[in-house]
Amino acid sequence: MKTEHRSGCPINLSLEVFGDRWSLIILRDMIFGGKRHFRELLNGSLEGIASNILADRLKRLMELGMLTKADDPSHKQKAIYSLTEMAITLVPIMAHLGAWGRVWLPVSEELSIRAELLEKGGPPMWEQFMDELRHDHLGTPVATPAQPSVRATLQAGYEAVVARKASSGIQAPAA
């Protein structure tokens, strides 16, 4: 993929990758939500991406080397998308974005609990999560298996907030 760049500045070049409205959301849903099929990404995002935009962004992320696509062995007509090392190493950046958003933006408690847990867990949790993602997407062995997994810990945090709000009569958005 040959592309003209505005400059060689690392911030500019990063924005050329992530500056659109959807690329980070797709990666977020794959990293934190475990979504790996087109339909899961299409129907599982709170933000509601259109199918043509999703197809375009998945193609672009593959061209950039952030995703790979393979036939899903469980279903002939499905493809499974996998994160590459390039995408997996975004976990600390996503943790920082979530922490920043929690401080400065009007986030909901249930949708920001994962960011809070990642912030509190810090680099050791991020490394464990990246190790788990490498196992799931690249097939590498997990160096130090955690029980429960980081994704399960983040999901349990979300479910606890939702349950607490439900018991107090407050309705939470699905995630």
Side-chain angles (χ1 to χ4, degrees), residues 100-133:
W100 181 85
R102 284 184 56 245
V103 170
W104 297 105
L105 302 172
V107 300
S108 67
E109 182 183 5
E110 57 274 41
L111 295 179
S112 66
I113 187 64
R114 292 178 183 101
E116 180 181 341
L117 293 170
L118 277 171
E119 184 179 1
K120 288 178 179 173
M125 182 182 237
W126 309 341
E127 288 297 328
Q128 180 63 42
F129 193 28
M130 289 188 293
D131 193 35
E132 292 169 9
L133 290 168

Side-chain angles (χ1 to χ4, degrees), residues 11-173:
I11 293 171
N12 169 69
L13 291 170
S14 297
L15 282 175
E16 287 182 15
V17 173
F18 304 117
D20 70 83
R21 185 173 177 175
W22 296 106
S23 294
L24 278 176
I25 300 301
I26 292 165
L27 293 168
R28 175 206 64 191
D29 289 349
M30 291 184 71
I31 290 169
F32 296 103
K35 294 171 177 57
R36 302 202 46 196
H37 296 98
F38 186 89
R39 286 264 173 238
E40 290 175 323
L41 291 161
L42 182 66
N43 299 324
S45 179
L46 290 172
E47 293 80 12
I49 189 169
S51 62
N52 62 324
I53 300 294
L54 175 59
D56 178 69
R57 293 313 185 279
L58 288 169
K59 180 181 175 191
R60 186 165 182 265
L61 290 167
M62 286 187 295
E63 289 171 349
L64 290 165
M66 301 194 79
L67 299 178
T68 59
K69 177 181 173 182
D71 292 333
D72 186 337
S74 71
H75 194 284
K76 280 188 198 179
Q77 295 176 329
K78 280 185 169 180
I80 189 164
Y81 293 91
S82 296
L83 301 165
T84 65
E85 182 66 17
M86 184 182 195
I88 290 168
T89 60
L90 288 170
V91 166
I93 293 164
M94 294 234 184
H96 285 291
L97 278 172
W100 181 85
R102 284 184 56 245
V103 170
W104 297 105
L105 302 172
V107 300
S108 67
E109 182 183 5
E110 57 274 41
L111 295 179
S112 66
I113 187 64
R114 292 178 183 101
E116 180 181 341
L117 293 170
L118 277 171
E119 184 179 1
K120 288 178 179 173
M125 182 182 237
W126 309 341
E127 288 297 328
Q128 180 63 42
F129 193 28
M130 289 188 293
D131 193 35
E132 292 169 9
L133 290 168
R134 287 181 188 104
H135 173 74
D136 294 346
H137 291 263
L138 304 175
T140 62
V142 176
T144 52
Q147 292 299 332
S149 70
V150 173
R151 182 177 289 126
T153 299
L154 300 176
Q155 184 63 25
Y158 167 77
E159 290 170 4
V161 171
V162 169
R164 180 178 50 73
K165 285 190 163 196
S167 69
S168 66
I170 301 169
Q171 187 160 4

